[in-house]
Amino acid sequence: GPELGADCVADILARLAQAHLQLSSGQGAELMWNGQASTQLRPIHALQIGALKTAPAFEVALYAGLRAAQVDVADTLLRQYATFVGEGFQVLNDLTDWEDNANKGHRGQDVLARRPTILRAFALEAGAGDALDDLVTAARASGSGNSVLPQVRTLYHQHGVFEKAHRLYGGLRTRALDLAREIEPPALRELFQFLVRNILREVRLVSD
């Protein structure tokens, strides 16, 4: 307070409160979808949930630093940048769950819990919903979720799920970098580009 002034502190606290509400909405939206054998989930729904769950945290963290440093970045640009980064972060998280070096104890848990991931959304869109739900039901009946994960992986490959998610991720990363190039001054532009490259790292397509 003494260093930043009351107006600055009030602005940052107001944005933090707003971000907490948005993050709670995103988590609530995910919980509403969890466990449902619903065919209504679409990629746009998964992206919206991911954006609400993650983007406000990126946005308010950047806003707090910018406001404290008295550096002005247009709210619309900052929000769009945070949205692309937040959505990309969620897609990356879904993809890395299936990487060969992923934690085997957690691999595929999103599938077994029927969480609204972008991978599940693409599978449903491709008409693989019944097959996916049959595998999950079988896994729950047997009490061994890991036993069906190779079949889920094959199903995702057959319907191009990993490829679609990988392309989407690349597009979100590119859009975030493009927006970062619009930011002035140059030092701040470099920081925003650095953040994209570190948060949204290059990722390989999930192999067969």
Side-chain angles (χ1 to χ4, degrees):
E3 290 81 11
L4 298 177
D7 288 346
C8 179
V9 171
D11 288 345
I12 292 174
L13 288 176
R15 293 289 282 264
L16 282 166
Q18 182 183 30
H20 275 293
L21 289 173
Q22 292 171 324
L23 292 166
S24 297
S25 295
Q27 192 63 60
E30 183 184 60
L31 290 171
M32 286 180 64
W33 284 101
N34 277 359
Q36 296 186 32
S38 172
T39 59
Q40 302 305 310
L41 180 71
R42 294 292 180 265
I44 187 63
H45 298 144
L47 278 179
Q48 287 171 344
I49 292 169
L52 276 173
K53 277 180 58 183
T54 312
F58 288 121
E59 181 182 345
V60 75
L62 289 167
Y63 173 83
L66 293 167
R67 181 69 178 86
Q70 298 183 348
V71 176
D72 185 41
V73 172
D75 272 352
T76 53
L77 192 154
L78 183 61
R79 184 165 294 113
Q80 191 64 74
Y81 173 87
T83 297
F84 288 147
V85 172
E87 290 175 345
F89 182 83
Q90 287 297 315
V91 176
L92 175 63
N93 186 61
D94 294 344
L95 286 170
T96 53
D97 279 347
W98 290 90
E99 287 182 341
D100 291 335
N101 60 352
N103 186 322
K104 292 184 179 180
H106 293 88
R107 187 182 298 170
Q109 294 307 302
D110 286 343
V111 173
L112 300 177
R114 293 193 175 103
R115 294 191 181 100
T117 66
I118 194 66
L119 301 178
R120 178 175 175 80
F122 278 135
L124 295 179
E125 187 180 58
D130 289 342
L132 188 59
D133 284 332
D134 286 346
L135 288 172
V136 173
T137 300
R140 290 182 170 182
S142 69
S144 177
N146 290 336
S147 63
V148 304
L149 293 184
Q151 297 172 69
V152 173
R153 191 186 190 103
T154 298
L155 185 70
Y156 279 177
H157 277 296
Q158 288 174 342
H159 291 275
V161 169
F162 291 125
E163 291 85 349
K164 292 175 183 176
H166 191 266
R167 285 198 300 270
L168 173 62
Y169 175 71
L172 291 168
R173 188 176 187 275
T174 297
R175 290 177 184 176
L177 284 170
D178 287 344
L179 277 178
R181 294 187 183 99
E182 298 179 20
I183 294 174
E184 297 289 346
L188 190 60
R189 182 191 314 138
E190 291 175 10
L191 172 62
F192 272 60
Q193 291 174 326
F194 172 83
L195 291 173
V196 174
R197 294 190 180 102
N198 279 269
I199 296 169
L200 306 182
R201 61 176 176 83
E202 294 281 3
V203 61
R204 296 174 59 186
L205 182 63
V206 177
S207 59
D208 293 338

